[in-house]
């Protein structure tokens, strides 16, 4: 006596003919988890929030409200979001592109008012100052002395008739003094008061002596100097420098008056953080290593338009870091945080990199071009993959200035930016031939090549509209034709399951881990464990037996519930199915059948009777020679009879329900089920 046992359920593989599928693969699989080899329905989704922006949300991002909940940022556009700070950063600062120009916000800004978040933001980066400073050297007139003195250590003290205006460290020339050793060239002084200074003078000690013939003048080489200033925000973000002032010629120690500094923030296009804004003033210093700009002082914006520079060169220590801190292109999208504190983005065919640990600075000198328009950029470890409308490119380097690029030989055209997902084991992205993967160990290839051919992929998936995220190690995607879930498995090629629920935006919280999505005007939590199990639907491959037979008995082993109403509901549904079948056979439904099943699945009907859902049960269907011959609601693991009066070698089994199914046994007789 023949018998069939179905267990270790697998997903579907549309590229393979139904009769040639692996033993327990599916003709199709819908809304079921397969990781355990059982059919496990996903829990139904739960509504979390009505989205203030209404329908059409394409991007969602949660901010922790500090009391166990989220404030949901959401957009009607495709927005990329990067967070470069620590997860312990309570400000929750994020950088994002796709909502006009690149922007930055944090919890305080984004949730400042209302519920339509983000409420506020700043334009990313800083514009270049529009006007240069004006600088003027204060003339130095020789100062006449009144007294001189020298201690036993050879330190002379000179008193001038008026304030001398010298600075400690300044080099001077002293002339006309009456005492021996006081007249020196290029000697360095130390200021002790407005009218006194000291310097080393060789000679014997001498008490205070009137001396009105001495004169003090600046000495040393004449230097060239220019000034610039930058913008500096309260977040320590610095801009490019202004154009330089006119060149000055002066000796070290001369005072310079700076003027024409902005009194207020200029009328830039964009929204900027001007509270606490300062102008950081720099000047050139020439040394053996070259001429560099060194920080002189910070001038708070709005506190005045002038500054008096009396600082000596030798006390300046901080060089200007922002010489190449360009603002990102207003067209840049695709922002991602990658290794070593860098961020990456793109526009057109241009790849952009930020200064490491400076997310607001995007130096033009770091930009590189590829040979086709870019669709998406993402990373796998320390490898940055640039996906284009032609071949992918691979960028590698520990810093933006060290980035090298390599074009992949394999043409893998990325068809949807929203479908690009870093799965950990590689970067997965949609192409016209299936889901592709790039990993540093294997390069690029089609990940779904064993379950989808180019033809089946094209007919069942709109690969240009895919929106996807990782969910517990699985690639979960939605598109204009439907939704699906793919899980890589090296032993069985992979699990491919269709999903009913369309999704327009997704977010996966790996810490919880919870998966959220939007559809219509609501935000949902997917596979919510607090909700009841949803309905799965699974159809076997076409089972070809060695001999012709009549499968006359079956049992479905599952985790049934103990609701006594299920038995009555099942009996009532069975009667309805008989009546419905009669109407279908006689073509008196007055409606169009929406699908091959008229059980718990939908029909477009007029007189057909709808079935009631079981609280925990399975609908079993048997197909013989591709024709449905039997449908029954099952509420326990007992053996039940199948139709007689035929012999065949081609069978299919379809199961749908909301319980965990562990196995299906089929035999010619109840006794024959023992063989399985």
């Amino acid at each position: 006596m023949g018998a069939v046992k179905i267990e270790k359920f697998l997903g579907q593989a549309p590229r393979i003919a139904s009769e040639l599928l692996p033993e327990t693969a599916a003709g199709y699989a819908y809304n079921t988890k397969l990781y355990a080899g059982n059919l496990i329905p996903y829990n139904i989704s739960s509504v979390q929030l009505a989205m203030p922006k209404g329908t059409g949300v394409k991007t969602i991002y949660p901010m922790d409200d500090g009391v166990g909940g989220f404030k949901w940022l959401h957009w009607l556009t495709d927005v990329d979001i990067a967070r470069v700070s620590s997860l312990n950063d309570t400000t929750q600062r994020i950088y994002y592109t796709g909502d006009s120009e690149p922007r930055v916000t944090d919890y305080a800004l984004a949730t400042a008012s209302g519920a339509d978040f983000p409420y506020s933001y700043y334009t990313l980066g800083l514009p270049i100052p529009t006007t240069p400073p004006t600088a003027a050297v204060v003339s130095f007139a020789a100062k006449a002395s009144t007294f001189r003195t020298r201690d036993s250590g050879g330190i002379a003290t000179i008193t001038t008739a008026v304030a001398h205006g010298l600075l400690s460290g300044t080099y001077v020339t002293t002339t006309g003094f009456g005492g021996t050793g006081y007249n020196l060239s290029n000697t360095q002084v130390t200021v002790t008061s407005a009218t006194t200074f000291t310097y080393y003078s060789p000679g014997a000690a001498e008490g205070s002596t009137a001396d009105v013939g001495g004169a003090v003048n600046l000495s040393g080489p004449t230097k060239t100097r220019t000034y610039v200033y930058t913008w500096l925000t309260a977040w320590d973000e610095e801009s490019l420098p202004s154009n330089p002032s006119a060149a000055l010629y002066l000796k070290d120690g001369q005072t310079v008056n700076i003027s024409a500094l902005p009194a207020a923030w200029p009328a830039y296009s964009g929204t900027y953080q001007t509270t606490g804004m300062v102008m950081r003033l720099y000047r050139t210093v020439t040394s053996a290593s070259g001429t560099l700009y060194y920080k002189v002082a910070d001038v708070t914006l709005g506190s005045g338009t002038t500054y008096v520079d009396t600082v000596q060169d030798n006390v300046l220590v901080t060089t200007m870091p922002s010489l190449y801190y360009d603002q990102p292109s207003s067209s840049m999208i695709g922002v991602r945080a990658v290794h070593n504190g860098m961020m990456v983005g793109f526009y057109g065919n241009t790849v952009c990199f930020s200064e490491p640990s400076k997310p607001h600075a995007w130096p033009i000198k770091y930009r590189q071009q590829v040979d086709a328009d870019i669709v998406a950029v993402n990373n796998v470890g320390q490898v940055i993959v640039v996906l284009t409308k032609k071949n992918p490119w691979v960028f590698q380097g520990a810093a933006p200035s060290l980035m090298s690029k390599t074009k992949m030989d394999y043409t893998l055209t990325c068809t949807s930016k929203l479908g690009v997902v870093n799965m950990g084991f590689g970067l997965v992205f949609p192409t016209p031939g299936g889901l592709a993967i790039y990993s540093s160990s294997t390069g690029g290839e089609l990940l779904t090549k064993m379950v989808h051919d180019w033809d089946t992929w094209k007919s069942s998936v709109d690969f240009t509209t895919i929106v996807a995220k990782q969910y517990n190690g699985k690639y979960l995607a939605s598109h204009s034709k439907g939704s699906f879930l793919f899980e890589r498995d090296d032993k069985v090629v992979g699990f491919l399951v269709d999903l009913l629920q369309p999704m327009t935006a997704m977010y996966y919280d790996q810490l919880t881990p919870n998966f959220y999505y939007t559809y219509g005007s609501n935000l949902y939590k997917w596979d919510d464990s607090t909700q009841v199990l949803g309905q799965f639907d699974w159809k076997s491959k076409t089972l070809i037996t060695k001999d012709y037979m009549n499968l006359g008995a079956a049992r479905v082993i599952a985790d049934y519930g103990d609701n006594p109403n299920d038995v009555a509901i099942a009996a009532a549904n069975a009667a309805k199915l008989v009546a419905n079948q009669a109407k279908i056979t006689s073509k008196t439904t007055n409606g169009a059948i929406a699908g091959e099943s008229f059980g718990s699945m939908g029909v477009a009907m007029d007189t057909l009777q709808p079935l009631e859902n079981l609280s925990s049960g399975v609908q079993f269907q048997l197909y013989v020679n591709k024709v449905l011959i039997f449908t029954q609601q099952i509420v326990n693991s007992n053996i039940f009879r199948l139709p007689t009066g035929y012999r065949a070698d081609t069978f299919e089994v379809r199961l749908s329900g909301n319980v965990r199914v562990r196995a299906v046994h089929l035999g010619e007789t109840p006794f024959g089920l023992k063989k399985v």
Side-chain angles (χ1 to χ4, degrees):
M1 293 184 182
V4 177
K5 181 180 183 180
I6 304 174
E7 60 181 1
K8 296 181 181 178
F9 298 92
L10 299 176
Q12 59 196 24
R15 70 165 291 158
I16 303 174
S18 179
E19 65 275 10
L20 300 178
L21 286 165
E23 282 306 308
T24 56
Y28 64 81
Y30 157 77
N31 198 46
T32 181
K33 304 175 186 179
L34 301 169
Y35 62 84
N38 299 159
L39 298 178
I40 307 172
Y42 282 96
N43 296 81
I44 66 171
S45 302
S46 59
V47 176
Q48 303 291 299
L49 177 70
M51 305 305 282
K53 287 186 174 72
T55 59
V57 172
K58 292 186 177 180
T59 309
I60 53 176
Y61 182 84
M63 283 192 161
D64 188 347
D65 65 6
V67 291
F70 290 132
K71 302 286 189 182
W72 284 95
L73 280 57
H74 58 294
W75 295 266
L76 301 180
T77 55
D78 170 16
V79 171
D80 294 284
I81 301 161
R83 183 171 178 175
V84 296
S85 57
S86 165
L87 291 176
N88 296 323
D89 172 26
T90 57
T91 68
Q92 302 182 61
R93 192 181 305 174
I94 60 169
Y95 301 84
Y96 62 98
T97 58
D99 186 22
S100 190
E101 81 280 6
R103 295 173 174 177
V104 56
T105 191
D106 60 14
Y107 184 84
L109 286 169
T111 66
S113 181
D116 187 358
F117 307 133
Y119 175 77
S120 189
Y121 61 88
Y122 296 131
T123 299
L124 184 58
L126 290 167
I128 187 172
T130 55
T131 57
T134 298
V137 179
V138 177
S139 299
F140 187 90
K143 301 300 187 294
S145 65
T146 57
F147 293 94
R148 72 173 191 267
T149 184
R150 184 165 53 212
D151 64 18
S152 58
I155 301 301
T157 300
I158 305 299
T159 302
T160 57
V162 296
H164 50 65
L166 298 175
L167 302 172
S168 291
T170 300
Y171 287 88
V172 301
T173 295
T174 54
T175 59
F177 284 94
T180 301
Y182 286 96
N183 296 318
L184 299 173
S185 296
N186 295 325
T187 187
Q188 196 170 22
V189 303
T190 300
V191 173
T192 54
S193 76
T195 56
T196 60
F197 63 89
T198 65
Y199 60 96
Y200 177 72
S201 171
E206 183 180 23
S208 180
T209 303
D211 192 338
V212 296
V216 182
N217 213 334
L218 294 176
S219 64
T222 298
K223 301 179 178 180
T224 303
R225 181 188 297 176
T226 59
Y227 287 82
V228 297
Y229 66 93
T230 62
W231 301 118
L232 186 72
T233 71
W235 286 355
D236 199 34
E237 297 173 330
E238 192 167 7
S239 74
L240 289 167
S242 66
N243 287 329
S245 67
L248 304 178
Y249 300 92
L250 71 166
K251 294 184 180 297
D252 195 21
Q254 281 189 273
T255 297
V256 177
N257 290 332
I258 310 299
S259 61
L261 295 173
W265 184 249
Y268 294 116
S269 175
T271 303
Y272 297 95
Q273 181 188 21
T274 58
T275 301
M277 177 75 74
V278 302
M279 297 168 284
R280 179 156 287 179
L281 191 64
Y282 294 90
R283 78 179 193 218
T284 53
V285 175
T286 301
S287 65
S289 58
T291 300
L292 300 173
Y293 278 103
Y294 282 77
K295 175 188 171 183
V296 177
D298 287 340
V299 180
T300 302
L301 181 65
S303 65
T305 61
T306 63
Y307 177 79
V308 179
D309 180 13
T310 61
V311 182
Q312 290 286 90
D313 281 356
N314 60 0
V315 300
L316 299 178
V317 295
T318 303
T319 59
M320 181 172 63
S322 63
L323 187 59
Y324 300 104
Y325 283 8
D326 298 284
Q327 194 170 12
S329 167
S330 61
S331 301
M332 188 181 75
I333 58 174
V335 66
R336 288 284 186 274
V338 293
H339 56 286
N340 295 346
M342 294 183 290
M343 295 175 68
V344 63
F346 70 91
Y347 63 91
N349 70 332
T350 301
V351 184
C352 310
F353 296 94
S354 76
E355 191 71 30
S357 302
K358 299 292 182 183
H360 73 287
W362 294 76
I364 291 175
K365 66 177 183 177
Y366 294 156
R367 297 176 186 176
Q368 296 194 44
Q369 282 74 41
V370 295
D371 64 350
D373 284 346
I374 299 168
V375 178
V377 172
N378 214 315
N379 68 300
V380 181
Q382 295 194 8
V383 176
I384 298 169
V385 184
V386 177
L387 302 170
T388 76
K389 293 182 178 180
K390 294 182 180 178
N391 298 56
W393 289 74
V394 175
F395 282 66
Q396 292 179 284
S401 59
L402 302 175
M403 283 291 167
S404 64
K405 60 184 179 182
T406 304
K407 182 179 179 180
M408 291 178 56
D409 293 333
Y410 199 169
T411 301
L412 291 171
T413 302
C414 182
T415 57
S416 174
K417 175 173 169 289
L418 288 172
V420 180
V421 181
N422 185 340
M423 297 294 295
F425 55 81
L427 189 68
V428 176
F429 56 98
T431 75
L435 291 180
I437 180 173
Y438 172 84
S439 71
S440 55
S441 59
T442 62
E445 62 177 338
L446 286 176
L447 179 65
T448 53
K449 61 185 178 183
M450 300 304 293
V451 297
H452 261 303
D453 185 71
W454 288 62
D455 290 340
T456 59
W457 173 256
K458 182 178 180 180
S459 65
S460 60
V461 177
D462 182 356
F463 45 80
T464 66
T465 62
I466 287 180
V467 180
K469 281 288 188 292
Q470 187 231 140
Y471 171 61
N472 292 349
K474 307 169 184 64
Y475 183 92
L476 196 160
S478 186
H479 53 95
S480 65
K481 293 182 179 180
S483 300
F484 68 90
L485 185 147
F486 181 79
E487 180 179 9
R488 187 182 77 163
D489 188 291
D490 294 334
K491 294 181 180 179
V492 297
V493 181
F495 298 109
L496 177 63
V497 175
D498 281 335
L499 304 173
L500 173 65
Q501 181 60 58
M503 306 176 185
T504 59
M506 304 174 182
Y507 181 83
Y508 178 56
D509 181 3
Q510 297 188 57
L511 297 179
T512 345
N514 289 317
F515 189 94
Y516 300 90
Y517 68 92
T518 58
Y519 182 68
S521 59
N522 289 328
L523 173 75
Y524 296 87
K525 182 178 179 181
W526 166 258
D527 192 24
D528 188 346
S529 60
T530 66
Q531 303 297 310
V532 300
L533 293 174
Q535 293 284 322
F536 76 86
D537 192 5
W538 186 91
K539 189 176 184 181
S540 73
K541 64 168 286 187
T542 300
L543 303 168
I544 308 296
T545 59
K546 292 182 179 180
D547 301 310
Y548 285 90
M549 64 176 64
N550 188 146
L551 293 176
R555 64 189 300 230
V556 179
I557 301 172
D559 296 349
Y560 299 102
D562 56 0
N563 187 339
N565 291 328
D566 281 348
V567 176
I569 293 173
N573 282 345
K576 291 179 180 179
L577 287 169
V578 172
N580 288 345
Q581 185 63 62
K583 291 183 178 181
I584 292 171
T585 302
S586 62
K587 300 182 180 180
T588 57
T589 62
N590 297 328
I593 302 299
E596 60 180 301
S597 167
F598 57 91
S600 61
M601 312 308 290
V603 293
M605 62 191 178
D606 193 9
T607 63
L608 293 182
Q609 302 177 68
L611 304 183
E612 295 185 49
N613 288 327
L614 298 173
S615 62
S616 55
V618 177
Q619 178 180 269
F620 173 92
Q621 293 181 311
L622 178 65
Y623 294 77
V624 176
N625 294 329
K626 303 289 186 177
V627 177
L628 176 65
I629 68 165
F630 179 78
T631 299
Q632 183 163 317
Q633 299 287 340
I634 311 299
V635 295
N636 55 49
S637 297
N638 296 338
I639 295 173
F640 55 91
R641 292 284 188 176
L642 298 175
T644 60
Y646 71 89
R647 293 186 68 80
D649 65 350
T650 303
F651 303 91
E652 295 164 289
V653 171
R654 181 177 180 182
L655 305 170
S656 59
N658 59 350
V659 299
R660 178 173 183 157
V661 175
R662 299 181 180 273
V664 178
H665 299 169
L666 302 164
E668 292 185 274
T669 65
F671 181 77
L673 292 179
K674 292 183 178 181
K675 290 187 176 183
V676 300

